[in-house]
Amino acid sequence: MPRILGIDPGIRHTGYGVVDAEGPLHRRVTAGVLSPDPKATLPKRLLHLDHELSLILEETRPDFCAFENVFYHKNPKSMMILGQAQAACILAAARAMLPVAFYAPREIKMAITGQGSAGKEQVRFMVERILGESFEGHSMDETDALAVAICHASRRETLALGVGA
């Protein structure tokens, strides 16, 4: 049963979710949000993400790591900082020798809800249905990260069947 770590990167809040996936069955192992000190310098915030994610990787021992891809932002400076946060997380996964995959937000939404333009609430609703538990009161970053992990699980199943290859 493959174990997948999904990551929704951000410099303020990085969501993570670990899912065990066997065919259509998915089970949440753990999930949460990494929130570096907003008053810390950018290098210290990136170090925090790298360090905390390394601890999660060590504790959960996933087989794969999947990221929501950073591809566009209205503000170029924000985009660059978001890319740096993603890079800190990629570094932790690379250090753990994990295969890494990237998915566009539309692809994740399509895999989870069947609609590439689904809203965050729709994604959360479907993550709850797929995992069979409520995430009311949890951060959207957390449920988004679980959606990334579930997307990767379904994508791996599709590739294994030779569909889309």
Side-chain angles (χ1 to χ4, degrees):
M1 172 179 308
R3 179 167 283 187
I4 303 159
L5 169 62
I7 299 175
D8 179 23
I11 195 64
R12 289 188 184 124
H13 306 290
T14 290
Y16 68 90
V18 180
V19 172
D20 285 339
E22 179 107 22
L25 303 175
H26 298 81
R27 181 182 67 84
R28 180 183 64 85
V29 176
T30 189
V33 177
L34 304 176
S35 299
D37 180 354
K39 294 177 185 164
T41 64
L42 178 61
K44 287 189 179 188
R45 293 167 88 176
L46 297 172
L47 184 60
H48 175 86
L49 291 175
D50 173 60
H51 175 74
E52 293 300 313
L53 193 55
S54 293
L55 293 175
I56 292 163
L57 289 166
E58 190 176 309
E59 181 181 312
T60 62
R61 304 237 182 255
D63 301 301
F64 302 94
C65 188
F67 287 86
E68 181 172 333
N69 205 5
V70 177
F71 69 99
Y72 174 76
H73 200 280
K74 293 174 188 165
N75 181 330
K77 183 178 177 183
S78 295
M79 174 67 179
M80 195 161 91
I81 292 170
L82 185 57
Q84 291 169 335
Q86 184 183 48
C89 296
I90 293 168
L91 178 61
R95 196 178 306 108
M97 304 298 286
L98 287 175
V100 174
F102 301 92
Y103 297 96
R106 285 187 65 82
E107 187 174 1
I108 297 164
K109 292 172 183 179
M110 182 65 84
I112 301 301
T113 70
Q115 296 180 357
S117 61
K120 285 189 173 284
E121 289 296 335
Q122 289 173 289
V123 171
R124 172 178 275 183
F125 175 79
M126 288 307 298
V127 166
E128 290 177 336
R129 300 257 336 238
I130 292 166
L131 295 177
E133 60 182 293
S134 173
F135 291 96
E136 189 174 327
H138 291 242
S139 167
M140 287 293 194
D141 298 303
E142 183 178 332
T143 52
D144 285 353
L146 288 165
V148 174
I150 295 166
C151 172
H152 184 70
S154 73
R155 185 75 175 134
R156 284 188 71 252
E157 289 291 319
T158 301
L159 291 174
L161 294 172
V163 180

